Each structure stands twice: as C-alpha cells, then as structure tokens.
Amino acid sequence: DEFICWVMSECPLLKEDKDILLPHSLFLICHYSRADLPSFRGFFDKNNRINLMNLRRTLVTMRNGAPLKIPLNYRGKKTVMNLAIRDTFLLAPSTAKSLESIGSLIKIEKKTPKEYLTRMDELRRDDLQRFIEYAQTDATIALKFSESISELSTTLGGNAFIPLTLTSLGISFLQQIWKNKNFNANEILGKEKQSYVVLNKKTGNPN
C-alpha cells in the first residue's frame, strides 16, 4: 500500500495537471514477480495474498477480477484503487524468457553490471547513478514490452488489455476468428451443452 501511495504521489503527470483524476485501476508489471513481491511488507497480509495465484512459478492476480484493493489517501481524500499484477515472464515467448531477451525483442538493451550481479547493495553504494540506470532500464523493458502486448491485443481485434499469459492472448484471438467466421466453437472443440437439475439434499426439490 505504501509503495503504491508513493508512486501515485510522485507521478509527474498527476502532479502537474490537477484536473487529471486518479485512475480506478492500474497494472503492476513485474518480471518474475516471485522474486520481488515477497520483499513488500504488505505481501504477508492474508487479505492481499488471497487474491494472488501461483502461475508457472510467478505470482499474479486472478484473470476475471479479484484484484488487490489498495486504500489510498490522494489529495486529501480517501479512495480505493484496484491493482492487477502481471508478469512479463508469462507474456514472453518460450525462447525469450529472460529480461535481457525480452529487451532485445523491443530493441532495449538491458544494462547488467555483471561484476555486481549478486551485490547490488554494493553497486548502489559505489556508483549510485549506474545503479539507477540499471534499475530504470529493467523497469522500462517490462513496461514497454507489456505495452507492446496490449497493442498486439488491439491489433488482433481484442481490447487494450494486458492478458495473464501469451497463450491466453492467442486463445482470445482464435476465438475472435471463429466468431467472425460464424464458426461454432463447441462443434470445433467437440463439446456440447447439457442441462441438468440439482436437487436439494434435504427436501429433494430442485434448487
């Protein structure tokens, strides 16, 4: 909660234009969220973790809602923002899962201080500017790649939305093609609709 509040309070766009309203929801973009999220104190709050799902070794919020509810005090008013978490690890092709590989897909070079790879605290102490550039580049890669996925979704006829996985985007695109061609998805998949009555165990009557 504190981190999101800080981000919103320091957002240049919201600072400069007082007429811009605070968004009702936002995406938190991670790369391998399992390594990052546990470092936040709020992660261990049961009310927060109940809305997270472990998907292919990452932590994301559920697809159809149940986002994290973040209470904010913004410009002197209390409000609640919906926070959805997405992971670029799930959105990248199987041959380009690393952040460096993802960066190469969108023409952004990842600046890795290899001599400090396991000692980032020392890099921050020894060369703060280099540490900032490294951190900002990683965040930019995750952001720009997620934006490209959202744009791809729009190009394919879907919504400007960041899906949970690259697979789910492909499925949505395929379903849209079937719909445009008036294909019956159930016939293609070998499914059929069935109706049944559920009886109340106590009364024996239909529920």
Side-chain angles (χ1 to χ4, degrees):
D1 298 2
E2 294 173 3
F3 174 70
I4 300 300
C5 286
W6 177 80
V7 170
M8 291 294 99
S9 65
E10 293 300 316
C11 175
L13 190 60
L14 294 176
K15 271 186 172 183
E16 295 168 4
D17 192 340
K18 301 300 182 182
D19 294 328
I20 295 181
L21 300 177
L22 188 72
H24 295 293
S25 60
L26 61 87
F27 283 101
L28 177 64
I29 307 299
C30 309
H31 181 76
Y32 200 56
S33 54
R34 185 177 170 183
D36 297 326
L37 293 183
S39 64
F40 290 95
R41 183 171 56 225
F43 173 79
F44 297 96
D45 186 332
K46 184 185 294 185
N47 293 329
N48 287 335
R49 284 190 292 131
I50 197 172
N51 290 330
L52 291 175
M53 61 185 295
N54 188 333
L55 182 61
R56 301 178 194 169
R57 298 179 297 156
T58 69
L59 295 169
V60 292
T61 48
M62 301 176 187
R63 179 184 177 188
N64 294 320
L68 302 180
K69 302 290 185 180
I70 306 295
L72 296 177
N73 192 325
Y74 181 70
R75 293 178 182 170
K77 296 182 180 180
K78 292 184 178 180
T79 185
V80 176
M81 175 178 287
N82 294 327
L83 177 68
I85 300 175
R86 293 293 182 265
D87 197 313
T88 52
F89 185 82
L90 299 175
L91 296 170
S94 59
T95 56
K97 289 294 187 183
S98 70
L99 199 58
E100 183 176 6
S101 298
I102 291 174
S104 67
L105 293 176
I106 54 175
K107 305 297 188 292
I108 299 179
E109 182 182 358
K110 176 176 167 60
K111 300 178 180 180
T112 304
K114 295 183 179 179
E115 69 275 24
Y116 285 99
L117 199 55
T118 59
R119 299 176 291 111
M120 288 300 165
D121 56 331
E122 294 182 19
L123 173 61
R124 181 179 180 182
R125 182 196 63 204
D126 298 342
D127 192 338
L128 180 59
Q129 185 57 41
R130 189 181 178 195
F131 174 83
I132 291 174
E133 290 178 359
Y134 158 74
Q136 287 180 336
T137 301
D138 279 10
T140 300
I141 290 173
L143 172 63
K144 294 300 183 182
F145 181 70
S146 298
E147 288 178 343
S148 71
I149 293 296
S150 178
E151 292 171 2
L152 177 61
S153 175
T154 305
T155 302
L156 297 178
N159 297 322
F161 187 75
I162 304 174
L164 273 179
T165 65
L166 194 61
T167 303
S168 63
L169 177 61
I171 292 174
S172 297
F173 178 49
L174 180 60
Q175 290 174 336
Q176 186 63 44
I177 292 176
W178 289 348
K179 183 178 179 180
N180 293 341
K181 293 182 177 293
N182 294 320
F183 291 165
N184 187 310
N186 286 338
E187 290 182 358
I188 295 174
L189 298 174
K191 294 181 177 181
E192 62 179 15
K193 291 184 178 181
Q194 295 184 344
S195 300
Y196 58 91
V197 177
V198 179
L199 300 179
N200 187 296
K201 292 183 179 180
K202 292 183 178 181
T203 64
N205 296 323
N207 285 330

